[in-house]
Amino acid sequence: MAATTTAQAPADAQRAASRPVGLTILTVFTALMLLVATYMAFIYAPTERTMGAVQRIFYFHVGAAWAGALAFLVTAIAGVVYLITGKRSWDIVGHSSVEVGLALVTITLTSGPIWAQFAWGKPWTWDPKLTSAAVMWLSYAAYLMLRQGLDDPARRARFGAVYGIVAFASVIMTYFGVRFIEATIHPVVVGSSAGTGEGDFGLATRMVHAMVFSFITFTFVYATLLWHRIRLERLSDRVARLKAHFFSQSG
Amino acid sequence: MFALFVQSSTPNTVSYLILGYVIIGAIGLGYVISLVIRQRNLKRDLEMLRRLQEEEKE
């Protein structure tokens, strides 16, 4: 950027602001996938006998949980790669992925209690799975807040990388660790558990289809939002550089 | 007869379902709107900087 001339800088920034065709196609495709996933959750999948319609929340609840975990995994990997290469682009990926992941996990943590209100008679319990999920959410919310408190970009990126790797322990605990704790009442929809879940339900074939489609859809939702968020961060970088460039010239 | 029994024993939890998806939709839409607003603000900044540079050249 040091070699960028005054005339080139706005042109670069202008280019960064225009949306690539691939992103437009991905966005439209993801929107269509969401429509089909909604159809499958509401109409295609049969109604669960003991809980009724409220069980249909699980298709998006679990899909968002999966995509949130994927987002935090990407942040941890981006953190490792940043610490090795020191490239800003990996810091952008890690930071953007945390923000998107946090939005997805927020969907999981707010939709679950609505199901729980019916299944357990209360929206929240300090069950190991729920507590671990809350700790995970707080860890990543803190990541975003603490990052903002650091002015030096290199220090901020290093902090983000290390934090993203360490915080991933909360994801492992939430998604895998609690499966071995017998005290949990949270049902396990995918894989085996200690078998103590309250509100457990078997999945009929069409329910499995809807669940798998929801997993795929939320993977696309994550990829689309991540791409948009990365572009936003790059645009923000360019505006900041342009401001610095302009004020250093006029000053 | 069996279908009728199943239907009558299944609780009506549609209101929970609607509330759940309204919240899911609101969070999803809210995040997308926040991305759009931030991008719009950055583009405005970009445009302003471009104008300032052109004015400076003149």
Side-chain angles (χ1 to χ4, degrees):
Chain A
M1 190 64 194
T4 307
T5 64
T6 316
Q8 277 173 325
D12 284 351
Q14 205 74 45
R15 229 182 357 260
S18 62
R19 183 184 296 173
V21 180
L23 181 56
T24 305
I25 292 169
L26 183 66
T27 306
V28 172
F29 182 73
T30 303
L32 291 174
M33 291 273 286
L34 264 174
L35 282 178
V36 177
T38 306
Y39 164 80
M40 289 185 88
F42 276 74
I43 297 159
Y44 178 82
T47 304
E48 206 274 335
R49 271 184 220 163
T50 52
M51 285 183 269
V54 71
Q55 180 271 336
R56 294 176 194 275
I57 284 178
F58 257 61
Y59 301 112
F60 276 38
H61 171 83
V62 180
W66 145 251
L70 178 66
F72 299 145
L73 173 66
V74 168
T75 296
I77 293 169
V80 171
V81 180
Y82 175 80
L83 291 176
I84 295 167
T85 64
K87 285 185 180 171
R88 163 76 177 135
S89 54
W90 288 105
D91 178 47
I92 291 176
V93 170
H95 179 205
S96 302
S97 199
V98 166
E99 196 185 283
V100 175
L102 204 60
L104 290 164
V105 171
T106 305
I107 285 176
T108 304
L109 286 181
T110 50
S111 59
I114 294 162
W115 170 86
Q117 180 62 47
F118 173 76
W120 301 336
K122 51 191 167 190
W124 188 267
T125 71
W126 291 106
D127 166 86
K129 175 97 175 174
L130 275 68
T131 306
S132 180
V135 168
M136 179 183 74
W137 189 91
L138 287 169
S139 302
Y140 285 99
Y143 169 102
L144 294 179
M145 285 187 272
L146 291 170
R147 256 190 88 102
Q148 283 188 326
L150 296 169
D151 290 330
D152 176 27
R155 204 168 152 226
R156 190 168 55 217
R158 255 196 326 275
F159 163 81
V162 173
Y163 194 113
I165 296 163
V166 174
F168 192 67
S170 68
V171 180
I172 295 169
M173 188 61 198
T174 304
Y175 290 86
F176 302 105
V178 292
R179 283 172 186 243
F180 303 103
I181 300 171
E182 292 202 2
T184 187
I185 61 165
H186 189 281
V188 174
V189 182
V190 180
S192 58
S193 72
T196 52
E198 283 180 28
D200 268 330
F201 51 89
L203 289 175
T205 309
R206 283 188 162 213
M207 288 178 171
V208 175
H209 292 166
M211 187 67 80
V212 170
F213 195 83
S214 175
F215 271 64
I216 297 167
T217 301
F218 272 91
T219 307
F220 274 96
V221 167
Y222 163 64
T224 308
L225 289 175
L226 181 65
W227 193 346
H228 280 286
R229 184 61 186 81
I230 286 171
R231 290 189 70 249
L232 189 73
E233 191 77 11
R234 286 192 176 144
L235 186 62
S236 172
D237 271 8
R238 286 193 167 97
V239 169
R241 280 201 296 259
L242 202 58
K243 271 182 188 169
H245 182 78
F246 176 75
F247 289 118
S248 68
Q249 280 205 332
S250 56
Chain B
M1 185 67 185
F2 178 71
L4 195 69
F5 171 75
V6 167
Q7 210 168 20
S8 61
S9 67
T10 303
N12 183 1
T13 52
V14 174
S15 54
Y16 288 99
L17 173 72
I18 292 168
L19 180 63
Y21 276 91
V22 164
I23 288 174
I24 290 169
I27 293 167
L29 199 67
Y31 183 63
V32 170
I33 289 170
S34 89
L35 285 177
V36 170
I37 289 172
R38 282 183 281 173
Q39 189 172 34
R40 197 187 56 191
N41 290 345
L42 282 169
K43 281 183 176 174
R44 206 170 46 203
D45 285 356
L46 198 66
E47 187 58 33
M48 187 190 73
L49 284 163
R50 204 173 58 82
R51 268 204 314 270
L52 283 170
Q53 275 191 328
E54 277 171 8
E55 280 170 19
E56 202 181 51
K57 267 191 231 170
E58 286 165 11

